[in-house]
Amino acid sequence: MKKRKGFIFDLDGVIVDTAKYHFLAWKKIANELGIDFTLEHNELLKGVSRVRSLDIILELGNVAASQGDKDKWLIQKNEDYLSYLVDMDESEILPGVMPVLNFLKENNQPIALGSASKNARPILEKTGILPFFDAIVDGNDVVNAKPDPEVFLHAARLLNVTNEDSIVFEDSVAGVQAANIAEMLSIGIGEEETLHEAQHIFKDFTHMDSAFLESLINK
Ligand code: BG6
Ligand code: MG
């Protein structure tokens, strides 16, 4: 009989190509505040909660702000971000994701979402992949943001698998660190120089074949 592992997917930048929309929405606010905000700076924000992301941007620009202003910018950022998602459909799913989800389902492997985003559910609905997930843990369910492992620990609990039987797919440094802290297998999706702390790194899911997935299941 096949072994049963827990496969935990981050959302933004792993399943869907939304990382670019987070970047655009944050860049708009940063530039309005006179803060230079580059793609390199953006790496610091990946996997990080909305509230913490704003604080990082303000720290980058050495800008002090009242709670009232921060609340206003957080709302503005999310409205701007959501405007990019209005027409979202399955075309936004990143290359190679569907074959991996289908392979895991065919092999009866539990699948969870482990995302910092509070917009995760509508995105899974709009892209039509909600039914693939046996458990969803998102920014509404956790207190501590990645690199704190809370989101992945919660997901593994819901899947009823141990940490050592959990496999995490992540595009962010904070997320890879969270998986490592939880002693789960971390698989980076993206660039080697950014994600070198991950135990395996793939440029994207098209580079991950079924033999590799089989090896994870039978590990
Ligand atoms: C993470 C993204 O998945 O979710 C971050 O990598 C984002 O960039 C965070 O800030 C929170 O997302 P949201 O949708 O709740 O603002
Ligand atoms: Mg991500």
Side-chain angles (χ1 to χ4, degrees), residues 10-13 18-19 22-23 26 42 45-51 53 77-78 81-82 85 114-120 123 139 146 170-172:
D10 174 50
L11 178 69
D12 297 308
T18 41
H22 281 295
F23 171 67
W26 281 129
N42 191 52
L45 268 51
K46 284 189 180 171
V48 172
S49 72
R50 201 181 307 164
V51 170
S53 295
K77 187 271 171 178
N78 198 46
Y81 173 67
L82 290 178
L85 307 185
S115 167
S117 174
K118 295 188 171 180
N119 296 302
I123 289 174
K146 301 169 188 173
E170 258 293 349
D171 71 317
S172 71

Side-chain angles (χ1 to χ4, degrees), residues 25 77-87 119 122 126:
K77 187 271 171 178
N78 198 46
E79 283 176 354
D80 198 27
Y81 173 67
L82 290 178
S83 73
Y84 291 110
L85 307 185
V86 172
D87 298 322
N119 296 302
K126 276 170 183 277

Side-chain angles (χ1 to χ4, degrees), residues 8-20:
I8 307 174
F9 290 75
D10 174 50
L11 178 69
D12 297 308
V14 169
I15 292 179
V16 281
D17 201 7
T18 41
K20 63 188 181 200

Side-chain angles (χ1 to χ4, degrees), residues 49-104:
S49 72
R50 201 181 307 164
V51 170
R52 179 71 194 121
S53 295
L54 177 60
D55 283 340
I56 292 174
I57 290 173
L58 296 176
E59 281 163 23
L60 282 171
N62 221 349
V63 171
S66 67
Q67 192 55 51
D69 276 341
K70 285 192 195 180
D71 291 344
K72 186 181 75 191
W73 296 328
L74 288 169
I75 291 169
Q76 190 186 323
K77 187 271 171 178
N78 198 46
E79 283 176 354
D80 198 27
Y81 173 67
L82 290 178
S83 73
Y84 291 110
L85 307 185
V86 172
D87 298 322
M88 183 175 224
D89 60 20
E90 67 275 6
S91 65
E92 213 83 38
I93 297 174
L94 283 162
V97 169
M98 290 316 298
V100 170
L101 288 175
N102 281 317
F103 180 90
L104 295 176

